[in-house]
Amino acid sequence: MNLLASPLLTDLYELTMVHAYAGQGLTGTAVFEFFVRRLPPSRNFLLAAGLEQALDFLEGLRFSPEDLSWIAGCGRFRPGFADYLERLRFTGDVHAMPEGTVFFADEPILRVTAPLPEAQLVETRLINLLQFQTMIASKAARCVLAAPGKSLVDFGLRRAHGAEAGLLAARASYLAGFSGTSAAAASPAFGIPVFGTMAHSFVQAFEDEGAAFLAYARANPDGATLLLDTYDVEAGAAKAAAAARRLAGENIRVRGVRLDSGNLALHSRRVRGLLDAAGLRDVAIFASGDLDEHALRRLTAQGAPIDGYGVGTRMTTSGDAPNLDCAYKLQEYGGRPRRKRSEGKTTWPGRKQVYRRRDGSGRPVLDVLSLEGDVQEGAPLLAPVMREGRRLAPSPELRDAREFAGEQLRALPEDLRGLAKAEPYRVEISPAVQELARRLDREALVPVGERT
């Protein structure tokens, strides 16, 4: 059983609710929206990601014989429910913000319109896919903004919370502007450039550090990167320089050296001096070691002569904000708007659209959350991407989505691009949405039989 593709990769209550819906004939059209209630305290914006995996999931939704066998034999469901699920496919429509879109609290980035059992069943997996990649892409975008012009490589697979998380983090960080990843599987999976250097164990396996450098470069002659800090950074740099000069006579190029510990700003200056003095000005310096956007900003401010960075654990786990306060909520059923009124978790009802206004230089200045038919000034951000369970167009190339994300980040107001918490970006709730919410609140006080 491929659990990552199985509809059983869900919370049990999705199945028990579908069981009840089917039994009661509640199969009318439902509208659900995925949105983030509040930005994490350290975030000024979020970057939408994960749409492609969400659409893949919806298009491929079907229960396997193994899934149905568990449904039939688990003792929780009435006879015939497995037969119902065997026929179930996603037949709905999806509207979404393109991947790489900058968005803010209360703004839906995906809307599902489908028969209620279908729209309900997919809740958990859609949240799982959209929340994770959006969280990682937003963290990675902060790293990109903190180190402009630098090459950033995802180094997080080994510390990721599972294999799928590591692979999708590589995708999300590339979407946000990273140059590539160390995760080899990301190349055949997504076409992401992959990069690698060497580990301390390789150096330790040799009696001599210089011999290790020569052996590694000869085995990888297209441009090796040598790790300097196994024993002593500056001594390692001297041996790397000697190896590079010797290898040049063999037409083998040393592309770079890597620092992985200690005072990276200080060591990078000393190493740069050693390399330059040896005539190796084209050998790049790459650094890693528990980095995040704050470390990158400090190194950038210090003018450290570092050409690129490997960013791992803190990006791949979004260490300072490891989850999003997100939700997938029913906004309409059977043609009637719905509103959740739970304390601290109220929702804005109805099918909604987000309109973005920009100034003369193209910078966003205001978003308006409105009802779908209540057209506002500005560009609508949600667009149809799936109808009757099928994509409306081929999936965009990841590199095109990456370029779009870059445009979005470059257009952000300067205060939102910074790492410090800025004044929140303006998101207005349209009068139509507010009036609809007030009407539903008033109706909630009237007994059902007395409503008109």
Side-chain angles (χ1 to χ4, degrees), residues 263-266 268-269 295-306:
N263 186 325
L264 295 178
L266 176 62
S268 66
R269 292 190 183 96
L296 297 178
R297 175 61 56 84
R298 286 194 297 272
L299 289 164
T300 299
Q302 292 168 0
I306 298 173

Side-chain angles (χ1 to χ4, degrees), residues 212-232:
F213 292 158
L214 290 171
Y216 187 80
R218 285 167 178 156
N220 300 277
D222 294 331
T225 297
L226 307 178
L227 180 60
L228 301 185
D229 72 327
T230 303
Y231 306 115
D232 176 270

Side-chain angles (χ1 to χ4, degrees), residues 316 353 369:
T316 302
Q353 177 61 273
L369 181 68

Side-chain angles (χ1 to χ4, degrees), residues 43-216:
R43 301 287 183 269
N44 293 320
F45 65 88
L46 295 174
L47 197 68
L51 175 62
E52 283 307 304
Q53 284 64 49
L55 296 181
D56 284 344
F57 168 67
L58 293 175
E59 274 196 325
L61 182 70
R62 55 188 42 84
F63 286 83
S64 71
E66 294 84 0
D67 297 333
L68 296 168
S69 177
W70 182 83
I71 292 287
C74 72
R76 293 179 177 272
F77 306 109
R78 67 180 177 275
F81 186 54
D83 295 333
Y84 171 83
L85 293 180
E86 184 177 21
R87 298 188 298 272
L88 188 143
R89 301 289 185 271
F90 181 77
T91 62
D93 302 341
V94 178
H95 290 69
M97 292 185 187
E99 285 197 288
T101 301
V102 165
F103 73 99
F104 305 93
D106 284 330
E107 300 182 338
I109 66 169
L110 178 134
R111 184 173 77 223
V112 169
T113 306
L116 180 57
E118 299 173 22
Q120 184 74 70
L121 178 65
V122 300
E123 174 187 17
T124 296
R125 187 59 167 149
L126 289 182
I127 292 175
N128 175 259
L129 291 166
L130 295 170
Q131 190 263 172
F132 179 76
Q133 284 202 65
T134 294
M135 177 181 72
I136 301 303
S138 302
K139 178 72 169 179
R142 286 165 60 84
C143 294
V144 170
L145 293 172
K150 304 296 184 179
S151 175
L152 302 183
V153 178
D154 157 45
F155 267 22
L157 177 60
R158 63 184 58 193
R159 303 280 175 76
H161 295 166
E164 184 188 43
L167 194 59
L168 292 182
R171 182 184 186 276
S173 60
Y174 183 71
L175 171 72
F178 272 45
S179 300
T181 179
S182 65
S187 179
F190 305 121
I192 298 174
V194 290
F195 299 90
T197 60
M198 63 194 306
H200 296 101
S201 56
F202 187 88
V203 176
Q204 291 175 292
F206 290 76
E207 294 300 323
D208 177 74
E209 191 174 20
F213 292 158
L214 290 171
Y216 187 80

Side-chain angles (χ1 to χ4, degrees), residues 214 226 237-254 274-280 283:
L214 290 171
L226 307 178
K239 292 180 180 179
R245 290 194 300 269
R246 181 171 174 179
L247 291 163
E250 304 173 27
N251 293 318
I252 295 174
R253 177 191 172 198
V254 172
L274 285 166
L275 294 174
D276 290 352
L280 300 171
V283 174

